[in-house]
Amino acid sequence: MRRAALAAGACTALVAALLGSAAGAQASPPTAAPARTLSAPDIDGAAVKADLGELQKIADANGGTRAHGTAGYKASVDFIQAKLEAAGFTTKLQEFTSGGAKGYNVIADWPGGDSDKVVMAGAHLDSVDAGPGINDNGSGAAGILEVALAVAKADLKPAGHLRFAWWGDEEAGMVGSSHYVDALGADGLAKIDGYLNFDMIGSPNPGYFVYDDDARLEKVFTDWFAAKKIATEPETEGDGRSDHAPFKDRGVKVGGLYSGGERTKTERQAAQWGGTAGEEFDACYHRSCDTLKNIDDKALDTNTDAIANAVWELSS
Ligand SMILES: [Zn+2]
């Protein structure tokens, strides 16, 4: 549909140009109709990295961590929420209690779209106590933030309703996302057309793993990567280990991306993706060295572009 529309526009312009020259009119460039950018924009990787720089600063100012129950976590929440509010999202903080401390999910709705067809993208915002959590999971949190801001910038009018979520206290066992799912109930869950999860998308020795839980959601990603000639593998390491699990357990279709964690890269994976065989995808997983230096910029940028494509496609 979109390609045909573009081709027709190009034909019209060509005919107009030919008619113009046939009539002996002064040659002038055909007036192009304003491009209708129905496909997702390319997300600026530097903007995602800058958000990670802010999360690093927040950790630095708060004892080196952004873990649940710390001032660093609340500052992370405030940072994300302020950007979304300024861009026109309707946000709310959903509170819960875990381990004796107050936790927060940030839920951001893009006004409009069919509320019976909700497309959700989420990422956990908390780190472990041991470090600033820049790959795990500042990367996913910043990636979906920049995609959300791109939705606002494009003034996207999706057919479906778009919702973004930043989960609290994932590291203790998906506490925030489980709270959300419980609070939403069966009727609310039935309106979620798909939940996409992004947990670690900028691993320093990256791979490109696509959740294989649902064929339709998987294909949106694998088609995009195939068009970029980037090999993917089905994601298996994180099954049940991140915030998609509470959704999947309640029958919601889930998808997502992952660039690898504490496992080591095989020879075959190094051959297809580059990087170092025998080394962990993320040697700083859950350690104090999961800092701004612990990010592969290309993986971060590529995966964020893939998220944008999925959000545009699935909500259109
Ligand atoms: Zn994580």
Side-chain angles (χ1 to χ4, degrees), residues 205-228:
N205 183 21
Y208 293 87
F209 297 95
V210 178
Y211 292 16
D212 62 353
D213 305 82
D214 177 78
R216 178 179 67 101
L217 299 179
E218 181 182 20
K219 189 172 188 300
V220 170
F221 290 109
T222 53
D223 283 355
W224 187 89
F225 281 101
K228 302 269 177 202

mmCIF file with all atom_site columns, all heavy atoms in Angstrom, residues 205-228:
data_model
loop_
_atom_site.group_PDB
_atom_site.id
_atom_site.type_symbol
_atom_site.label_atom_id
_atom_site.label_alt_id
_atom_site.label_comp_id
_atom_site.label_asym_id
_atom_site.label_entity_id
_atom_site.label_seq_id
_atom_site.pdbx_PDB_ins_code
_atom_site.Cartn_x
_atom_site.Cartn_y
_atom_site.Cartn_z
_atom_site.occupancy
_atom_site.B_iso_or_equiv
_atom_site.pdbx_formal_charge
_atom_site.auth_seq_id
_atom_site.auth_comp_id
_atom_site.auth_asym_id
_atom_site.auth_atom_id
_atom_site.pdbx_PDB_model_num
ATOM 1   N N   . ASN A 1 205 ? 29.427 -6.995  23.806 1.00 0.00 ? 205 ASN A N   1
ATOM 2   C CA  . ASN A 1 205 ? 29.875 -8.020  22.851 1.00 0.00 ? 205 ASN A CA  1
ATOM 3   C C   . ASN A 1 205 ? 28.595 -8.620  22.260 1.00 0.00 ? 205 ASN A C   1
ATOM 4   O O   . ASN A 1 205 ? 28.259 -9.777  22.497 1.00 0.00 ? 205 ASN A O   1
ATOM 5   C CB  . ASN A 1 205 ? 30.701 -9.065  23.620 1.00 0.00 ? 205 ASN A CB  1
ATOM 6   C CG  . ASN A 1 205 ? 31.302 -10.149 22.745 1.00 0.00 ? 205 ASN A CG  1
ATOM 7   O OD1 . ASN A 1 205 ? 31.462 -9.989  21.534 1.00 0.00 ? 205 ASN A OD1 1
ATOM 8   N ND2 . ASN A 1 205 ? 31.615 -11.278 23.353 1.00 0.00 ? 205 ASN A ND2 1
ATOM 9   N N   . PRO A 1 206 ? 27.845 -7.786  21.492 1.00 0.00 ? 206 PRO A N   1
ATOM 10  C CA  . PRO A 1 206 ? 26.413 -8.060  21.304 1.00 0.00 ? 206 PRO A CA  1
ATOM 11  C C   . PRO A 1 206 ? 26.069 -9.206  20.357 1.00 0.00 ? 206 PRO A C   1
ATOM 12  O O   . PRO A 1 206 ? 26.805 -9.502  19.416 1.00 0.00 ? 206 PRO A O   1
ATOM 13  C CB  . PRO A 1 206 ? 25.892 -6.735  20.714 1.00 0.00 ? 206 PRO A CB  1
ATOM 14  C CG  . PRO A 1 206 ? 27.057 -6.172  19.984 1.00 0.00 ? 206 PRO A CG  1
ATOM 15  C CD  . PRO A 1 206 ? 28.260 -6.538  20.810 1.00 0.00 ? 206 PRO A CD  1
ATOM 16  N N   . GLY A 1 207 ? 24.925 -9.783  20.636 1.00 0.00 ? 207 GLY A N   1
ATOM 17  C CA  . GLY A 1 207 ? 24.221 -10.650 19.714 1.00 0.00 ? 207 GLY A CA  1
ATOM 18  C C   . GLY A 1 207 ? 22.862 -10.033 19.457 1.00 0.00 ? 207 GLY A C   1
ATOM 19  O O   . GLY A 1 207 ? 22.477 -9.062  20.110 1.00 0.00 ? 207 GLY A O   1
ATOM 20  N N   . TYR A 1 208 ? 22.133 -10.597 18.508 1.00 0.00 ? 208 TYR A N   1
ATOM 21  C CA  . TYR A 1 208 ? 20.807 -10.071 18.184 1.00 0.00 ? 208 TYR A CA  1
ATOM 22  C C   . TYR A 1 208 ? 19.774 -11.178 18.359 1.00 0.00 ? 208 TYR A C   1
ATOM 23  O O   . TYR A 1 208 ? 19.580 -12.001 17.470 1.00 0.00 ? 208 TYR A O   1
ATOM 24  C CB  . TYR A 1 208 ? 20.792 -9.472  16.772 1.00 0.00 ? 208 TYR A CB  1
ATOM 25  C CG  . TYR A 1 208 ? 21.664 -8.221  16.699 1.00 0.00 ? 208 TYR A CG  1
ATOM 26  C CD1 . TYR A 1 208 ? 23.025 -8.305  16.429 1.00 0.00 ? 208 TYR A CD1 1
ATOM 27  C CD2 . TYR A 1 208 ? 21.115 -6.967  16.973 1.00 0.00 ? 208 TYR A CD2 1
ATOM 28  C CE1 . TYR A 1 208 ? 23.830 -7.163  16.410 1.00 0.00 ? 208 TYR A CE1 1
ATOM 29  C CE2 . TYR A 1 208 ? 21.902 -5.821  16.953 1.00 0.00 ? 208 TYR A CE2 1
ATOM 30  C CZ  . TYR A 1 208 ? 23.257 -5.933  16.671 1.00 0.00 ? 208 TYR A CZ  1
ATOM 31  O OH  . TYR A 1 208 ? 24.046 -4.801  16.669 1.00 0.00 ? 208 TYR A OH  1
ATOM 32  N N   . PHE A 1 209 ? 19.164 -11.186 19.532 1.00 0.00 ? 209 PHE A N   1
ATOM 33  C CA  . PHE A 1 209 ? 18.191 -12.212 19.890 1.00 0.00 ? 209 PHE A CA  1
ATOM 34  C C   . PHE A 1 209 ? 16.786 -11.616 19.842 1.00 0.00 ? 209 PHE A C   1
ATOM 35  O O   . PHE A 1 209 ? 16.550 -10.518 20.356 1.00 0.00 ? 209 PHE A O   1
ATOM 36  C CB  . PHE A 1 209 ? 18.470 -12.752 21.291 1.00 0.00 ? 209 PHE A CB  1
ATOM 37  C CG  . PHE A 1 209 ? 19.804 -13.448 21.430 1.00 0.00 ? 209 PHE A CG  1
ATOM 38  C CD1 . PHE A 1 209 ? 20.920 -12.763 21.893 1.00 0.00 ? 209 PHE A CD1 1
ATOM 39  C CD2 . PHE A 1 209 ? 19.944 -14.782 21.081 1.00 0.00 ? 209 PHE A CD2 1
ATOM 40  C CE1 . PHE A 1 209 ? 22.153 -13.392 22.022 1.00 0.00 ? 209 PHE A CE1 1
ATOM 41  C CE2 . PHE A 1 209 ? 21.175 -15.429 21.205 1.00 0.00 ? 209 PHE A CE2 1
ATOM 42  C CZ  . PHE A 1 209 ? 22.289 -14.734 21.678 1.00 0.00 ? 209 PHE A CZ  1
ATOM 43  N N   . VAL A 1 210 ? 15.875 -12.378 19.223 1.00 0.00 ? 210 VAL A N   1
ATOM 44  C CA  . VAL A 1 210 ? 14.481 -11.952 19.091 1.00 0.00 ? 210 VAL A CA  1
ATOM 45  C C   . VAL A 1 210 ? 13.607 -12.958 19.836 1.00 0.00 ? 210 VAL A C   1
ATOM 46  O O   . VAL A 1 210 ? 13.715 -14.171 19.610 1.00 0.00 ? 210 VAL A O   1
ATOM 47  C CB  . VAL A 1 210 ? 14.061 -11.892 17.603 1.00 0.00 ? 210 VAL A CB  1
ATOM 48  C CG1 . VAL A 1 210 ? 12.591 -11.504 17.476 1.00 0.00 ? 210 VAL A CG1 1
ATOM 49  C CG2 . VAL A 1 210 ? 14.948 -10.911 16.834 1.00 0.00 ? 210 VAL A CG2 1
ATOM 50  N N   . TYR A 1 211 ? 12.754 -12.441 20.715 1.00 0.00 ? 211 TYR A N   1
ATOM 51  C CA  . TYR A 1 211 ? 11.839 -13.326 21.454 1.00 0.00 ? 211 TYR A CA  1
ATOM 52  C C   . TYR A 1 211 ? 11.004 -14.128 20.450 1.00 0.00 ? 211 TYR A C   1
ATOM 53  O O   . TYR A 1 211 ? 10.427 -13.557 19.522 1.00 0.00 ? 211 TYR A O   1
ATOM 54  C CB  . TYR A 1 211 ? 10.870 -12.526 22.322 1.00 0.00 ? 211 TYR A CB  1
ATOM 55  C CG  . TYR A 1 211 ? 11.449 -11.784 23.511 1.00 0.00 ? 211 TYR A CG  1
ATOM 56  C CD1 . TYR A 1 211 ? 12.803 -11.533 23.658 1.00 0.00 ? 211 TYR A CD1 1
ATOM 57  C CD2 . TYR A 1 211 ? 10.596 -11.315 24.509 1.00 0.00 ? 211 TYR A CD2 1
ATOM 58  C CE1 . TYR A 1 211 ? 13.294 -10.840 24.764 1.00 0.00 ? 211 TYR A CE1 1
ATOM 59  C CE2 . TYR A 1 211 ? 11.072 -10.616 25.613 1.00 0.00 ? 211 TYR A CE2 1
ATOM 60  C CZ  . TYR A 1 211 ? 12.425 -10.380 25.730 1.00 0.00 ? 211 TYR A CZ  1
ATOM 61  O OH  . TYR A 1 211 ? 12.887 -9.683  26.819 1.00 0.00 ? 211 TYR A OH  1
ATOM 62  N N   . ASP A 1 212 ? 10.902 -15.419 20.723 1.00 0.00 ? 212 ASP A N   1
ATOM 63  C CA  . ASP A 1 212 ? 10.171 -16.295 19.790 1.00 0.00 ? 212 ASP A CA  1
ATOM 64  C C   . ASP A 1 212 ? 8.838  -16.771 20.372 1.00 0.00 ? 212 ASP A C   1
ATOM 65  O O   . ASP A 1 212 ? 8.291  -17.782 19.934 1.00 0.00 ? 212 ASP A O   1
ATOM 66  C CB  . ASP A 1 212 ? 11.040 -17.494 19.382 1.00 0.00 ? 212 ASP A CB  1
ATOM 67  C CG  . ASP A 1 212 ? 11.404 -18.365 20.577 1.00 0.00 ? 212 ASP A CG  1
ATOM 68  O OD1 . ASP A 1 212 ? 11.105 -17.968 21.727 1.00 0.00 ? 212 ASP A OD1 1
ATOM 69  O OD2 . ASP A 1 212 ? 11.974 -19.449 20.358 1.00 0.00 ? 212 ASP A OD2 1
ATOM 70  N N   . ASP A 1 213 ? 8.313  -16.023 21.348 1.00 0.00 ? 213 ASP A N   1
ATOM 71  C CA  . ASP A 1 213 ? 7.088  -16.471 22.024 1.00 0.00 ? 213 ASP A CA  1
ATOM 72  C C   . ASP A 1 213 ? 5.851  -16.402 21.133 1.00 0.00 ? 213 ASP A C   1
ATOM 73  O O   . ASP A 1 213 ? 4.917  -17.168 21.314 1.00 0.00 ? 213 ASP A O   1
ATOM 74  C CB  . ASP A 1 213 ? 6.852  -15.610 23.273 1.00 0.00 ? 213 ASP A CB  1
ATOM 75  C CG  . ASP A 1 213 ? 8.065  -15.617 24.193 1.00 0.00 ? 213 ASP A CG  1
ATOM 76  O OD1 . ASP A 1 213 ? 9.015  -14.853 23.931 1.00 0.00 ? 213 ASP A OD1 1
ATOM 77  O OD2 . ASP A 1 213 ? 8.067  -16.393 25.155 1.00 0.00 ? 213 ASP A OD2 1
ATOM 78  N N   . ASP A 1 214 ? 5.825  -15.435 20.215 1.00 0.00 ? 214 ASP A N   1
ATOM 79  C CA  . ASP A 1 214 ? 4.653  -15.246 19.362 1.00 0.00 ? 214 ASP A CA  1
ATOM 80  C C   . ASP A 1 214 ? 5.141  -14.987 17.935 1.00 0.00 ? 214 ASP A C   1
ATOM 81  O O   . ASP A 1 214 ? 5.937  -14.071 17.699 1.00 0.00 ? 214 ASP A O   1
ATOM 82  C CB  . ASP A 1 214 ? 3.827  -14.049 19.866 1.00 0.00 ? 214 ASP A CB  1
ATOM 83  C CG  . ASP A 1 214 ? 2.640  -13.768 18.961 1.00 0.00 ? 214 ASP A CG  1
ATOM 84  O OD1 . ASP A 1 214 ? 1.635  -14.496 19.063 1.00 0.00 ? 214 ASP A OD1 1
ATOM 85  O OD2 . ASP A 1 214 ? 2.732  -12.842 18.124 1.00 0.00 ? 214 ASP A OD2 1
ATOM 86  N N   . ALA A 1 215 ? 4.636  -15.772 17.000 1.00 0.00 ? 215 ALA A N   1
ATOM 87  C CA  . ALA A 1 215 ? 5.164  -15.730 15.630 1.00 0.00 ? 215 ALA A CA  1
ATOM 88  C C   . ALA A 1 215 ? 4.974  -14.364 14.966 1.00 0.00 ? 215 ALA A C   1
ATOM 89  O O   . ALA A 1 215 ? 5.865  -13.862 14.288 1.00 0.00 ? 215 ALA A O   1
ATOM 90  C CB  . ALA A 1 215 ? 4.500  -16.824 14.794 1.00 0.00 ? 215 ALA A CB  1
ATOM 91  N N   . ARG A 1 216 ? 3.813  -13.757 15.181 1.00 0.00 ? 216 ARG A N   1
ATOM 92  C CA  . ARG A 1 216 ? 3.537  -12.467 14.522 1.00 0.00 ? 216 ARG A CA  1
ATOM 93  C C   . ARG A 1 216 ? 4.474  -11.376 15.048 1.00 0.00 ? 216 ARG A C   1
ATOM 94  O O   . ARG A 1 216 ? 5.061  -10.612 14.276 1.00 0.00 ? 216 ARG A O   1
ATOM 95  C CB  . ARG A 1 216 ? 2.074  -12.062 14.778 1.00 0.00 ? 216 ARG A CB  1
ATOM 96  C CG  . ARG A 1 216 ? 1.680  -10.715 14.172 1.00 0.00 ? 216 ARG A CG  1
ATOM 97  C CD  . ARG A 1 216 ? 0.207  -10.392 14.441 1.00 0.00 ? 216 ARG A CD  1
ATOM 98  N NE  . ARG A 1 216 ? -0.065 -10.167 15.846 1.00 0.00 ? 216 ARG A NE  1
ATOM 99  C CZ  . ARG A 1 216 ? -0.201 -8.962  16.417 1.00 0.00 ? 216 ARG A CZ  1
ATOM 100 N NH1 . ARG A 1 216 ? -0.090 -7.869  15.675 1.00 0.00 ? 216 ARG A NH1 1
ATOM 101 N NH2 . ARG A 1 216 ? -0.458 -8.842  17.691 1.00 0.00 ? 216 ARG A NH2 1
ATOM 102 N N   . LEU A 1 217 ? 4.622  -11.318 16.349 1.00 0.00 ? 217 LEU A N   1
ATOM 103 C CA  . LEU A 1 217 ? 5.477  -10.282 16.935 1.00 0.00 ? 217 LEU A CA  1
ATOM 104 C C   . LEU A 1 217 ? 6.950  -10.560 16.622 1.00 0.00 ? 217 LEU A C   1
ATOM 105 O O   . LEU A 1 217 ? 7.736  -9.634  16.388 1.00 0.00 ? 217 LEU A O   1
ATOM 106 C CB  . LEU A 1 217 ? 5.252  -10.207 18.444 1.00 0.00 ? 217 LEU A CB  1
ATOM 107 C CG  . LEU A 1 217 ? 3.815  -9.849  18.861 1.00 0.00 ? 217 LEU A CG  1
ATOM 108 C CD1 . LEU A 1 217 ? 3.681  -9.821  20.378 1.00 0.00 ? 217 LEU A CD1 1
ATOM 109 C CD2 . LEU A 1 217 ? 3.386  -8.512  18.271 1.00 0.00 ? 217 LEU A CD2 1
ATOM 110 N N   . GLU A 1 218 ? 7.321  -11.815 16.595 1.00 0.00 ? 218 GLU A N   1
ATOM 111 C CA  . GLU A 1 218 ? 8.700  -12.186 16.257 1.00 0.00 ? 218 GLU A CA  1
ATOM 112 C C   . GLU A 1 218 ? 9.038  -11.729 14.831 1.00 0.00 ? 218 GLU A C   1
ATOM 113 O O   . GLU A 1 218 ? 10.105 -11.171 14.572 1.00 0.00 ? 218 GLU A O   1
ATOM 114 C CB  . GLU A 1 218 ? 8.864  -13.706 16.382 1.00 0.00 ? 218 GLU A CB  1
ATOM 115 C CG  . GLU A 1 218 ? 10.269 -14.199 16.081 1.00 0.00 ? 218 GLU A CG  1
ATOM 116 C CD  . GLU A 1 218 ? 10.385 -15.721 16.158 1.00 0.00 ? 218 GLU A CD  1
ATOM 117 O OE1 . GLU A 1 218 ? 9.340  -16.412 16.058 1.00 0.00 ? 218 GLU A OE1 1
ATOM 118 O OE2 . GLU A 1 218 ? 11.518 -16.210 16.305 1.00 0.00 ? 218 GLU A OE2 1
ATOM 119 N N   . LYS A 1 219 ? 8.076  -11.949 13.920 1.00 0.00 ? 219 LYS A N   1
ATOM 120 C CA  . LYS A 1 219 ? 8.328  -11.670 12.505 1.00 0.00 ? 219 LYS A CA  1
ATOM 121 C C   . LYS A 1 219 ? 8.527  -10.169 12.229 1.00 0.00 ? 219 LYS A C   1
ATOM 122 O O   . LYS A 1 219 ? 9.301  -9.795  11.342 1.00 0.00 ? 219 LYS A O   1
ATOM 123 C CB  . LYS A 1 219 ? 7.160  -12.208 11.669 1.00 0.00 ? 219 LYS A CB  1
ATOM 124 C CG  . LYS A 1 219 ? 7.394  -12.187 10.168 1.00 0.00 ? 219 LYS A CG  1
ATOM 125 C CD  . LYS A 1 219 ? 6.272  -12.920 9.438  1.00 0.00 ? 219 LYS A CD  1
ATOM 126 C CE  . LYS A 1 219 ? 6.553  -13.090 7.957  1.00 0.00 ? 219 LYS A CE  1
ATOM 127 N NZ  . LYS A 1 219 ? 6.722  -11.825 7.234  1.00 0.00 ? 219 LYS A NZ  1
ATOM 128 N N   . VAL A 1 220 ? 7.831  -9.333  12.990 1.00 0.00 ? 220 VAL A N   1
ATOM 129 C CA  . VAL A 1 220 ? 8.020  -7.885  12.809 1.00 0.00 ? 220 VAL A CA  1
ATOM 130 C C   . VAL A 1 220 ? 9.494  -7.528  13.000 1.00 0.00 ? 220 VAL A C   1
ATOM 131 O O   . VAL A 1 220 ? 10.054 -6.712  12.268 1.00 0.00 ? 220 VAL A O   1
ATOM 132 C CB  . VAL A 1 220 ? 7.131  -7.092  13.802 1.00 0.00 ? 220 VAL A CB  1
ATOM 133 C CG1 . VAL A 1 220 ? 7.487  -5.607  13.792 1.00 0.00 ? 220 VAL A CG1 1
ATOM 134 C CG2 . VAL A 1 220 ? 5.668  -7.281  13.468 1.00 0.00 ? 220 VAL A CG2 1
ATOM 135 N N   . PHE A 1 221 ? 10.111 -8.173  13.975 1.00 0.00 ? 221 PHE A N   1
ATOM 136 C CA  . PHE A 1 221 ? 11.538 -7.904  14.225 1.00 0.00 ? 221 PHE A CA  1
ATOM 137 C C   . PHE A 1 221 ? 12.448 -8.640  13.235 1.00 0.00 ? 221 PHE A C   1
ATOM 138 O O   . PHE A 1 221 ? 13.373 -8.045  12.683 1.00 0.00 ? 221 PHE A O   1
ATOM 139 C CB  . PHE A 1 221 ? 11.907 -8.308  15.661 1.00 0.00 ? 221 PHE A CB  1
ATOM 140 C CG  . PHE A 1 221 ? 11.312 -7.421  16.707 1.00 0.00 ? 221 PHE A CG  1
ATOM 141 C CD1 . PHE A 1 221 ? 10.299 -7.874  17.529 1.00 0.00 ? 221 PHE A CD1 1
ATOM 142 C CD2 . PHE A 1 221 ? 11.769 -6.120  16.877 1.00 0.00 ? 221 PHE A CD2 1
ATOM 143 C CE1 . PHE A 1 221 ? 9.748  -7.062  18.514 1.00 0.00 ? 221 PHE A CE1 1
ATOM 144 C CE2 . PHE A 1 221 ? 11.225 -5.290  17.851 1.00 0.00 ? 221 PHE A CE2 1
ATOM 145 C CZ  . PHE A 1 221 ? 10.207 -5.768  18.669 1.00 0.00 ? 221 PHE A CZ  1
ATOM 146 N N   . THR A 1 222 ? 12.185 -9.921  13.032 1.00 0.00 ? 222 THR A N   1
ATOM 147 C CA  . THR A 1 222 ? 13.114 -10.689 12.184 1.00 0.00 ? 222 THR A CA  1
ATOM 148 C C   . THR A 1 222 ? 13.092 -10.178 10.741 1.00 0.00 ? 222 THR A C   1
ATOM 149 O O   . THR A 1 222 ? 14.137 -10.160 10.085 1.00 0.00 ? 222 THR A O   1
ATOM 150 C CB  . THR A 1 222 ? 12.801 -12.203 12.232 1.00 0.00 ? 222 THR A CB  1
ATOM 151 O OG1 . THR A 1 222 ? 11.424 -12.420 11.921 1.00 0.00 ? 222 THR A OG1 1
ATOM 152 C CG2 . THR A 1 222 ? 13.119 -12.791 13.601 1.00 0.00 ? 222 THR A CG2 1
ATOM 153 N N   . ASP A 1 223 ? 11.941 -9.735  10.258 1.00 0.00 ? 223 ASP A N   1
ATOM 154 C CA  . ASP A 1 223 ? 11.888 -9.151  8.910  1.00 0.00 ? 223 ASP A CA  1
ATOM 155 C C   . ASP A 1 223 ? 12.744 -7.887  8.832  1.00 0.00 ? 223 ASP A C   1
ATOM 156 O O   . ASP A 1 223 ? 13.442 -7.655  7.848  1.00 0.00 ? 223 ASP A O   1
ATOM 157 C CB  . ASP A 1 223 ? 10.441 -8.795  8.518  1.00 0.00 ? 223 ASP A CB  1
ATOM 158 C CG  . ASP A 1 223 ? 9.634  -10.011 8.114  1.00 0.00 ? 223 ASP A CG  1
ATOM 159 O OD1 . ASP A 1 223 ? 10.207 -11.117 8.037  1.00 0.00 ? 223 ASP A OD1 1
ATOM 160 O OD2 . ASP A 1 223 ? 8.412  -9.861  7.884  1.00 0.00 ? 223 ASP A OD2 1
ATOM 161 N N   . TRP A 1 224 ? 12.660 -7.068  9.881  1.00 0.00 ? 224 TRP A N   1
ATOM 162 C CA  . TRP A 1 224 ? 13.414 -5.808  9.898  1.00 0.00 ? 224 TRP A CA  1
ATOM 163 C C   . TRP A 1 224 ? 14.920 -6.091  9.896  1.00 0.00 ? 224 TRP A C   1
ATOM 164 O O   . TRP A 1 224 ? 15.672 -5.496  9.116  1.00 0.00 ? 224 TRP A O   1
ATOM 165 C CB  . TRP A 1 224 ? 13.008 -4.971  11.124 1.00 0.00 ? 224 TRP A CB  1
ATOM 166 C CG  . TRP A 1 224 ? 13.602 -3.601  11.139 1.00 0.00 ? 224 TRP A CG  1
ATOM 167 C CD1 . TRP A 1 224 ? 13.090 -2.466  10.584 1.00 0.00 ? 224 TRP A CD1 1
ATOM 168 C CD2 . TRP A 1 224 ? 14.855 -3.215  11.730 1.00 0.00 ? 224 TRP A CD2 1
ATOM 169 N NE1 . TRP A 1 224 ? 13.940 -1.406  10.796 1.00 0.00 ? 224 TRP A NE1 1
ATOM 170 C CE2 . TRP A 1 224 ? 15.026 -1.836  11.490 1.00 0.00 ? 224 TRP A CE2 1
ATOM 171 C CE3 . TRP A 1 224 ? 15.850 -3.897  12.441 1.00 0.00 ? 224 TRP A CE3 1
ATOM 172 C CZ2 . TRP A 1 224 ? 16.143 -1.125  11.942 1.00 0.00 ? 224 TRP A CZ2 1
ATOM 173 C CZ3 . TRP A 1 224 ? 16.964 -3.194  12.879 1.00 0.00 ? 224 TRP A CZ3 1
ATOM 174 C CH2 . TRP A 1 224 ? 17.095 -1.819  12.629 1.00 0.00 ? 224 TRP A CH2 1
ATOM 175 N N   . PHE A 1 225 ? 15.351 -7.017  10.750 1.00 0.00 ? 225 PHE A N   1
ATOM 176 C CA  . PHE A 1 225 ? 16.773 -7.347  10.799 1.00 0.00 ? 225 PHE A CA  1
ATOM 177 C C   . PHE A 1 225 ? 17.232 -8.006  9.497  1.00 0.00 ? 225 PHE A C   1
ATOM 178 O O   . PHE A 1 225 ? 18.340 -7.741  9.020  1.00 0.00 ? 225 PHE A O   1
ATOM 179 C CB  . PHE A 1 225 ? 17.080 -8.254  11.997 1.00 0.00 ? 225 PHE A CB  1
ATOM 180 C CG  . PHE A 1 225 ? 17.170 -7.520  13.307 1.00 0.00 ? 225 PHE A CG  1
ATOM 181 C CD1 . PHE A 1 225 ? 16.113 -7.528  14.200 1.00 0.00 ? 225 PHE A CD1 1
ATOM 182 C CD2 . PHE A 1 225 ? 18.304 -6.793  13.641 1.00 0.00 ? 225 PHE A CD2 1
ATOM 183 C CE1 . PHE A 1 225 ? 16.182 -6.840  15.410 1.00 0.00 ? 225 PHE A CE1 1
ATOM 184 C CE2 . PHE A 1 225 ? 18.393 -6.097  14.850 1.00 0.00 ? 225 PHE A CE2 1
ATOM 185 C CZ  . PHE A 1 225 ? 17.329 -6.124  15.729 1.00 0.00 ? 225 PHE A CZ  1
ATOM 186 N N   . ALA A 1 226 ? 16.375 -8.857  8.918  1.00 0.00 ? 226 ALA A N   1
ATOM 187 C CA  . ALA A 1 226 ? 16.746 -9.511  7.659  1.00 0.00 ? 226 ALA A CA  1
ATOM 188 C C   . ALA A 1 226 ? 16.970 -8.472  6.566  1.00 0.00 ? 226 ALA A C   1
ATOM 189 O O   . ALA A 1 226 ? 17.907 -8.580  5.769  1.00 0.00 ? 226 ALA A O   1
ATOM 190 C CB  . ALA A 1 226 ? 15.666 -10.507 7.244  1.00 0.00 ? 226 ALA A CB  1
ATOM 191 N N   . ALA A 1 227 ? 16.111 -7.448  6.543  1.00 0.00 ? 227 ALA A N   1
ATOM 192 C CA  . ALA A 1 227 ? 16.265 -6.388  5.540  1.00 0.00 ? 227 ALA A CA  1
ATOM 193 C C   . ALA A 1 227 ? 17.572 -5.622  5.739  1.00 0.00 ? 227 ALA A C   1
ATOM 194 O O   . ALA A 1 227 ? 18.128 -5.074  4.790  1.00 0.00 ? 227 ALA A O   1
ATOM 195 C CB  . ALA A 1 227 ? 15.071 -5.428  5.613  1.00 0.00 ? 227 ALA A CB  1
ATOM 196 N N   . LYS A 1 228 ? 18.058 -5.590  6.974  1.00 0.00 ? 228 LYS A N   1
ATOM 197 C CA  . LYS A 1 228 ? 19.339 -4.926  7.275  1.00 0.00 ? 228 LYS A CA  1
ATOM 198 C C   . LYS A 1 228 ? 20.514 -5.908  7.159  1.00 0.00 ? 228 LYS A C   1
ATOM 199 O O   . LYS A 1 228 ? 21.647 -5.547  7.498  1.00 0.00 ? 228 LYS A O   1
ATOM 200 C CB  . LYS A 1 228 ? 19.320 -4.372  8.703  1.00 0.00 ? 228 LYS A CB  1
ATOM 201 C CG  . LYS A 1 228 ? 18.214 -3.392  8.992  1.00 0.00 ? 228 LYS A CG  1
ATOM 202 C CD  . LYS A 1 228 ? 18.662 -1.974  8.720  1.00 0.00 ? 228 LYS A CD  1
ATOM 203 C CE  . LYS A 1 228 ? 17.508 -1.019  8.955  1.00 0.00 ? 228 LYS A CE  1
ATOM 204 N NZ  . LYS A 1 228 ? 17.662 0.251   8.268  1.00 0.00 ? 228 LYS A NZ  1
#
